[in-house]
Structures are given as C-alpha cells and as structure tokens.
Amino acid sequence: MIIYILFIFIGIIGLGYAVVKIHPTFGGKQSKEKMELFAQSPQYQNGKFVNLNTNEWDTSFGSTLSMIREFLKSKVERKPRTPLSFVPYSPGIDRADSARVTWFGHSAFLLEVEGKTLLFDPMFGKAPTPFPIKNQRYSRKLPFKIEDLPAIDAVVLSHDHYDHLDYGSIMNLKEKVKQFITPLGVGSHLARWGIPEEKISEHDWWNEYTFEGLKLACTPARHFSGRGLADRNSTLWCSWVIIARDTKIYFSGDGGYGSHFKEIGEKYGPFDLTLMECGQYDVRWADIHMLPEETVQAHQDVKGKLLIPVHWGAFTLSLHAWHDPIERAVRAAEESGVEIATPRIGETVIVGEDHFPDLAWWRTESYRVFNDET
C-alpha cells in the first residue's frame, strides 16, 4: 500500500513538473549565453539576481501559521462586494497635448507623451495566476477592449510576476506593439511567446535607453522574481524613469522601501509625476512591498511632484482591506503636504495641470466582502 501511495505522490510531482516545463504561461528558460551575459552585471551573483539591501521575510512555521489563521478568520473587507465602477477609456485623443497617464487598475497604465504611447505592466487577465479560472478582478471588466486600444509604441515591464507580466495579455497585445522593454532576463518569457528577438530590449539597473526620442532609464527596485518552481530570481526586477522633452515620470515597479529611491531622485529628479507601489503589503514582508506611508516617503525621496498610488484596486494578494492602501496613502500625503491624485480605473491624469482627480471614489463603493458564490 505504501509503495502505491509513493508512486502516486511521485506521479503528481512529475505531472506538475511537466506542466511547468510544457505550458507556455510559465515563460522561457534562460540560455547559457544569456547567463554568461548576466554574469557581467553587479546584480547577478551565484547564478541569481540580488537586491542592494538584504530582504527579510519571516517564513517560519509560526509566521506562516499566523497568516493562515488570519486569512481564514479575519473579517477585513478584502474585496468589494459589487464590481468596481470605471471610466471607459477613449483612444484617439490629440497626442500632441500634454503627457497623459491612464491607470487601468493594479500597476497597469498607459502613458501618452510627445506622440508616443507606452503601456506599462499590462496585466489585463481575470486573475494573477498561471491558470485564471475565476474572475478575481474587482471591476470584472476592463475599461476598454484590447482590440480597440491604439497602436502601442512600447510595452514596458518591471518584472515577471503574474500580476505584472500576463501571458494572455501579451498574446492579445503583441501584434499592436512595436517594442518590448524589460529588465534583464524577462525577454526570455516574451521570446517563448513568439515575440521576435529584435522587438525585445533588455536592460540592467542604471542602463539608459533612447526610444523614439524618449529617454528611459532602468533603475533599481527592492523585490524578487520568478514564475515557476525553480526559477526564483532568474530574471531582474526594476523601476523605470521616463524622460521626455518637457516631462519626467517615475514608475516604482514593485518593491520595498530602500535607499535606492534617494539615489534615483538625486540622479534623475525632480519628477512631474510618480506612480508608486501602494498595496499588497504586510509588516511581515515590508521589505518586498512598501507600506503606504513608505510609498509617500519614497515619492518624496525621488523628488516627485504629483503622486499616483498603484498596485491596488484590482486584485486581492494580501491580508489588508481592499481600500486600506489608498486610505493610508491619502492620509500620509495630507500629513506630508504631498499632492496625490486618486483617479478611478480608466480615468486619465493630465501631467502638469493644476487640476487632477482627487475624489475619494472608493468610499462610494461597497466595502462588503464578496459572497462565496460570486
């Protein structure tokens, strides 16, 4: 009997391994040539990418048990009861106007600047999982149809986690996109999904890249990467600086608070607008996801003018209430004298204008938790 159980156990493990190897959603593997190239990066040590600062994440049995207990028993409002409303996105604007940023929930946003359209971390799937069976998106729908989006000059990615790099989204977008710009290693996923190598540009921290008259700088973040069972930190993670003729924008990507924000501010600031991670945090893993008060501090460190908190409003990936990130960020911003924009999903912010969305719209949405049958 024991031998049969052992065979079944081995079979399950083998099947799981085969799925990871075969199914494209898990992405590509790094070639030997690429790993030799990575070895030239200061961020690559002993076959893995590393952070500037050590990350502390309590994964002890006691901590894990407490998280499970909190997940099962806590009554915080992790999800809104009814689908969140959104502003339908309307393409075809006068692209010669001021730079415009449209947030689509979580960390996905569209930047239209100087006649160029850049799409950042376009996770447009139903759920941030390899096989999204159930629709977990708070808004249920997107504020647009992918086929109705304008041509995309570049998709810019911060790292390879499922809530930022979505297989289905890339497959639906790839014919619209001229160029994919990523941190080191992430291009291997795109190549497996049929993106031609000449359309992929990979970058190390502090690497500057000129694209269609815009300057992009790949800058540090404090996070990690991985999509499968054995590829943790095999690709780099980053934040991005975007410098146009009259506008400078900073996108933090994912990560914990650290000294890199001041370094970025000293080198590239001040910024007209920052889009800073604010959500999916917990004090137990604050080194990889900032707390909202740190979001505001990081915005000040990089010398930002207007702050848009992102990485919230779409999915439940932590234990806090779904509206907690924006409530805390707004409160911290008010206490620090920081200008903070709070656009609805699909609402556009025009960079440099005196007026920007600042209504507490989430307070009009239901705070009650989804029913099990939803």
Side-chain angles (χ1 to χ4, degrees):
M1 184 65 179
I2 295 177
I3 191 69
Y4 290 120
I5 294 174
L6 181 60
F7 280 143
I8 291 172
F9 181 70
I10 293 173
I12 292 172
I13 293 177
L15 178 62
Y17 181 78
V19 169
V20 171
K21 283 291 186 180
I22 296 171
H23 202 283
T25 191
F26 291 99
K29 185 179 179 181
Q30 305 304 329
S31 66
K32 181 180 179 182
E33 292 74 21
K34 271 202 168 186
M35 288 190 286
E36 289 175 353
L37 180 65
F38 297 164
Q40 302 173 27
S41 168
Q43 283 62 251
Y44 197 70
Q45 299 176 16
N46 300 318
K48 299 288 182 182
F49 287 100
V50 298
N51 285 291
L52 293 169
N53 306 104
T54 302
N55 285 351
E56 298 292 337
W57 185 359
D58 186 358
T59 56
S60 66
F61 177 76
S63 177
T64 302
L65 191 62
S66 72
M67 282 187 279
I68 294 173
R69 187 184 303 114
E70 185 177 343
F71 180 81
L72 294 174
K73 293 185 177 182
S74 175
K75 298 189 182 300
V76 300
E77 303 123 347
R78 290 200 191 92
K79 302 176 183 178
R81 176 175 171 76
T82 56
L84 294 186
S85 58
F86 55 79
V87 178
Y89 172 72
S90 298
I93 62 166
D94 182 357
R95 298 172 71 194
D97 288 346
S98 300
R100 298 160 59 100
V101 169
T102 307
W103 178 57
F104 295 134
H106 207 61
S107 293
F109 67 94
L110 191 74
L111 168 62
E112 296 162 295
V113 57
E114 294 183 3
K116 303 297 181 294
T117 300
L118 280 66
L119 184 57
F120 289 75
D121 285 5
M123 197 299 174
F124 298 145
K126 295 188 296 184
T129 60
F131 306 107
I133 298 171
K134 184 178 179 181
N135 192 344
Q136 299 175 13
R137 184 178 290 275
Y138 294 170
S139 61
R140 285 294 188 262
K141 297 179 181 179
L142 297 167
F144 57 85
K145 293 181 179 179
I146 288 180
E147 57 267 27
D148 293 336
L149 285 176
I152 307 299
D153 292 294
V155 162
V156 185
L157 299 166
S158 65
H159 64 298
D160 71 359
H161 284 160
Y162 290 100
D163 56 325
H164 296 259
L165 175 60
D166 178 62
Y167 169 68
S169 301
I170 296 297
M171 295 302 288
N172 287 325
L173 283 165
K174 66 179 185 178
E175 299 304 323
K176 285 181 168 288
V177 181
K178 290 183 184 179
Q179 188 77 18
F180 291 82
I181 304 172
T182 81
L184 291 177
V186 177
S188 295
H189 302 315
L190 301 175
R192 186 180 181 188
W193 300 340
I195 309 297
E197 294 283 353
E198 62 269 19
K199 292 178 67 173
I200 303 170
S201 178
E202 295 186 335
H203 301 275
D204 199 357
W205 290 349
W206 304 116
N207 181 212
E208 296 180 354
Y209 175 61
T210 300
F211 173 76
E212 303 277 337
L214 304 174
K215 182 182 357 181
L216 285 84
C218 178
T219 45
R222 189 180 184 184
H223 201 50
F224 68 107
S225 66
R227 294 177 71 84
L229 299 175
D231 67 343
R232 188 179 178 92
N233 295 346
S234 63
T235 65
L236 187 59
W237 49 94
C238 74
S239 57
W240 286 102
V241 169
I242 306 95
I243 302 176
R245 182 177 58 252
D246 301 315
T247 309
K248 288 201 288 186
I249 293 172
Y250 175 71
F251 170 46
S252 71
D254 274 9
Y257 181 75
S259 59
H260 57 286
F261 290 116
K262 286 188 176 180
E263 292 183 61
I264 293 165
E266 290 299 323
K267 186 173 177 65
Y268 294 109
F271 294 96
D272 300 285
L273 175 72
T274 73
L275 297 105
M276 307 293 291
E277 183 207 90
C278 181
Q280 322 316 323
Y281 50 78
D282 190 286
V283 293
R284 286 163 290 200
W285 56 81
D287 282 354
I288 58 172
H289 285 298
M290 289 186 285
L291 304 179
E293 295 76 18
E294 293 174 320
T295 296
V296 174
Q297 183 60 59
H299 167 83
Q300 294 175 295
D301 287 353
V302 299
K303 303 179 182 179
K305 181 180 179 183
L306 180 64
L307 164 65
I308 299 179
V310 298
H311 206 241
W312 75 284
F315 305 107
T316 296
L317 299 173
S318 189
L319 299 168
H320 56 68
W322 74 270
H323 47 81
D324 190 55
I326 192 65
E327 288 280 3
R328 288 175 59 175
V330 166
R331 186 163 57 247
E334 290 174 347
E335 292 172 354
S336 302
V338 166
E339 290 186 324
I340 183 168
T342 57
R344 285 180 178 270
I345 295 168
E347 187 171 11
T348 296
V349 176
I350 300 176
V351 181
E353 286 205 346
D354 293 333
H355 302 287
F356 48 83
D358 60 357
L359 296 177
W361 59 265
W362 58 92
R363 294 174 187 163
T364 67
E365 311 283 349
S366 173
Y367 279 9
R368 289 176 293 177
V369 181
F370 279 122
N371 288 332
D372 292 339
E373 66 269 18
T374 303

